[in-house]
Amino acid sequence: MPAGSLLALLDDIATILDDVSILTKKAAAKTAGVLGDDLALNAQQVSGVVSNRELPVVWAVAKGSLINKLILVPLALLISSFAPWAVIPLLMIGGLYLCFEGCEKLAHHFLHRREKSVEQAVQKISTPPSPTTEAERIKGAVRTDFVLSAEIIAITLGIVAGQDFKRQVLVLSVIAFVMTVGVYGLVAGIVKLDDGGLYLTQRKNKLSQAFGRAILWTAPFLMKTLSIAGTAAMFLVGGGIITHGIPWLHHTISHFAESAKLAGGVSSFLAPLIPSLLNGICGLLAGTVVLLMVMGTKKIRGNAPATQAH
């Protein structure tokens, strides 16, 4: 009897692990797009940090991401069990925040742009950021990670919704851990590309030197591309969350994309990109509205004391 019970237990464990493996693969495939956006956004947040502070900043954000997921996984399970109706509104709030943050970055870039001399630029690069600046950068990255992590957890929760509680916990935990390690491992590798290229240029091997120079030439363009992609991802992801939360808007976008494909207005290759583009436009508009509201509120609050003084 004891041997039979042990075998039955092992069989149950093997079945659960097999189910968890299958469900995790499905969740990973579904969240791959968000993973790419998460990678671009976090690489963007770290770009511009002095070389010897890059890995400490990545590690600090990674720890913040783990804390985010330690909060989000139990919270998602509780909401799914007791208030499933709250999942979409909460995601939409997160989507609005991403769009607002993207618009804030664009506004800061275009409205507060100043010409700087080469000497000032070199001084900025060579001067380590103050602890306050670095702490603000980390906090901003962790806040952004919270929204993207929430979407990853929500997508995963939708996949395992029909499973028992035990499988839900295991799949959510595995996805949370794997995504964190994967994203921040890649971010750490990306931000240290220039150091790797410099190391290779100092080798005696001619091929290594050439490869190192190629990396050093490519790294700035890669970081710039990731910075642009990170900002675009805010609108694509945030806009996608918002439009999916408004059924009529989501169906309108899907219908428009399908109609354009059937009418032959776009190629079969470009047709799948139309919903993402429209989601991004919706995200840009939503973020602009929120940014204007925030700026208006700040202006009113800033003028309030002066008005009262009169």
Side-chain angles (χ1 to χ4, degrees), residues 187-202:
V187 169
I190 289 170
V191 300
K192 299 307 288 184
L193 267 178
D194 52 352
D195 290 343
L198 182 62
Y199 171 77
L200 288 174
T201 59
Q202 296 171 347

Side-chain angles (χ1 to χ4, degrees), residues 121-174:
V122 171
Q123 184 179 6
K124 182 179 177 183
I125 293 171
S126 60
T127 303
S130 66
T132 304
T133 304
E134 188 174 292
E136 288 174 354
R137 185 185 290 270
I138 292 169
K139 285 180 181 178
V142 172
R143 283 197 301 268
T144 302
D145 176 271
F146 188 89
V147 178
L148 292 171
S149 294
E151 190 184 8
I152 289 171
I153 297 300
I155 293 171
T156 304
L157 191 63
I159 292 171
V160 299
Q163 303 296 319
D164 59 70
F165 185 75
K166 188 187 301 181
R167 285 173 172 80
Q168 288 183 2
V169 172
L170 288 172
V171 173
L172 284 169
S173 299
V174 171

Side-chain angles (χ1 to χ4, degrees), residues 33-47:
V34 184
L35 177 65
D37 297 332
D38 200 1
L39 173 63
L41 286 171
N42 282 289
Q44 175 200 18
Q45 295 283 9
V46 178
S47 64

Side-chain angles (χ1 to χ4, degrees), residues 230-243:
T231 303
M234 290 181 175
F235 299 117
L236 295 175
V237 176
I241 294 173
I242 293 167
T243 57

Side-chain angles (χ1 to χ4, degrees), residues 178-290:
V178 170
M179 289 295 184
T180 303
V181 173
V183 166
Y184 292 99
L186 286 171
V187 169
I190 289 170
V191 300
K192 299 307 288 184
L193 267 178
D194 52 352
D195 290 343
L198 182 62
Y199 171 77
L200 288 174
T201 59
Q202 296 171 347
R203 305 283 289 177
K204 294 181 179 180
N205 187 287
K206 296 292 185 182
L207 183 60
S208 297
Q209 291 177 0
F211 187 52
R213 286 193 292 270
I215 291 175
L216 289 174
W217 184 84
T218 306
F221 296 101
L222 175 62
M223 294 306 298
K224 185 66 176 177
T225 301
L226 285 173
S227 179
I228 296 170
T231 303
M234 290 181 175
F235 299 117
L236 295 175
V237 176
I241 294 173
I242 293 167
T243 57
H244 276 77
I246 306 174
W248 68 266
L249 183 57
H250 175 65
H251 292 312
T252 301
I253 290 174
S254 299
H255 179 70
F256 179 82
E258 190 62 30
S259 299
K261 183 178 178 181
L262 291 174
V266 293
S267 65
S268 58
F269 174 75
L270 295 176
L273 300 178
I274 293 179
S276 295
L277 178 62
L278 294 176
N279 286 337
I281 293 171
C282 289
L284 178 60
L285 293 174
T288 302
V289 171
V290 176

Side-chain angles (χ1 to χ4, degrees), residues 70-105:
L70 286 173
I71 295 170
L72 286 167
V73 170
L75 187 61
L77 291 168
L78 285 172
I79 292 174
S80 178
S81 300
F82 300 104
W85 54 268
V87 174
I88 292 178
L90 288 172
L91 277 176
M92 289 185 69
I93 292 171
L96 281 172
Y97 172 76
L98 276 180
C99 296
F100 160 72
E101 195 175 38
C103 284
E104 194 175 37
K105 287 180 182 295

